[in-house]
Amino acid sequence: MYQRVHNVEATPDIPRRLPRGTHGLAPSLVAASQRARLLEATGRAVAEKGYAAATIDDIVRGAGVSKKTFYEHFPDKLGCFLAAYEAASDELIEHVRAAQDTETDWVDRTRAGIHAYLRWLAAEPALARVFLIEIAAAGPEALECRERVRDRYAERMRELQTTNGVPDELFHAAVAAVDDLVVRRLRAGEDVRELEPAILQLQLALLRKGV
């Protein structure tokens, strides 16, 4: 998942490690490789130590780059962490959207999205903890970033509705409630996939008006 989060599978030409010495690679490809490795290393470092304890030294060591290279890409640890969080969020939202687009009925689309979301998180629980739990430890800017991601999920739920009979606040409430249920499971070290029936029932109860 560390590689999927940063779209490495979608761009397999980005090398995971740069060859030593003169290699003739385009500067843009070198930069893309460095950035991808820094984002992956950030996820690993925060998963191992937590956001507060993870350091830039941990990140550059894990990425195999220098501190100078780190600062060419990011202003600080928070900037790198938020970039990793946003990349993970983009990948997950597209994963959910792709699963939903295979269905035509609203209930089936809702179920498919929940299933895809939980399976994505369950594939790498440590990384899920990073982006659902550690984001709250990274300060107000990180919380604002989390709210923007929640807004995107709420908007996606709105897109799936066939009527306008549900207040916008309920879509946001559904997203927040799902986050809370998932975080509780992650903290307890339990399988988030077991939440699928409860989350489906929750979303149908809140959002089914007028369908």
Side-chain angles (χ1 to χ4, degrees):
M1 179 180 292
Y2 288 110
Q3 294 178 358
R4 288 208 314 275
V5 161
H6 310 303
N7 298 317
V8 175
E9 287 185 350
T11 53
D13 53 322
I14 297 177
R16 306 306 307 130
R17 284 288 182 269
L18 298 177
R20 293 182 180 276
T22 303
H23 46 63
L25 295 175
S28 60
L29 192 60
V30 172
S33 174
Q34 292 168 340
R35 180 181 175 86
R37 284 150 46 206
L38 283 165
L39 295 181
E40 292 174 21
T42 299
R44 289 193 296 268
V46 176
E48 291 169 5
K49 294 187 172 184
Y51 176 78
T55 66
I56 290 176
D57 283 336
D58 294 326
I59 294 169
V60 299
R61 188 182 309 114
V65 303
S66 67
K67 273 192 175 181
K68 178 178 180 293
T69 296
F70 177 92
Y71 286 112
E72 288 172 353
H73 289 275
F74 303 105
D76 50 29
K77 181 179 76 169
L78 177 61
C80 189
F81 178 66
L82 293 185
Y85 174 76
E86 290 174 349
S89 300
D90 288 345
E91 200 278 339
L92 180 50
I93 288 173
E94 288 308 308
H95 180 67
V96 169
R97 184 186 295 272
Q100 291 170 329
D101 286 347
T102 63
E103 306 291 344
T104 56
D105 178 73
W106 178 76
V107 174
D108 290 340
R109 281 187 160 194
T110 300
R111 182 184 293 108
I114 294 167
H115 182 76
Y117 176 76
L118 295 177
R119 284 182 61 84
W120 194 96
L121 296 178
E124 185 57 75
L127 194 59
R129 287 179 62 91
V130 168
F131 295 117
L132 287 175
I133 296 176
E134 292 298 329
I135 189 69
E141 187 176 345
L143 292 178
E144 290 176 7
C145 187
R146 184 185 68 177
E147 288 309 305
R148 290 194 295 271
V149 169
R150 285 183 171 184
D151 287 345
R152 293 176 65 189
Y153 278 107
E155 178 58 29
R156 177 56 181 167
M157 289 180 180
R158 165 63 78 187
E159 290 174 0
L160 296 180
Q161 272 288 9
T162 58
T163 74
N164 294 320
V166 178
D168 287 343
E169 290 80 5
L170 288 186
F171 292 100
H172 290 276
V175 173
V178 170
D179 262 11
D180 183 68
L181 291 173
V182 170
V183 166
R184 285 173 179 267
R185 282 273 170 159
L186 290 173
R187 289 189 186 279
E190 297 172 349
D191 191 342
V192 296
R193 291 172 295 184
E194 296 174 355
L195 288 171
E196 186 171 334
I199 292 176
L200 178 61
Q201 185 175 350
L202 168 70
Q203 292 193 11
L204 294 183
L206 285 176
L207 307 176
R208 199 167 189 172
K209 179 181 178 182
V211 175

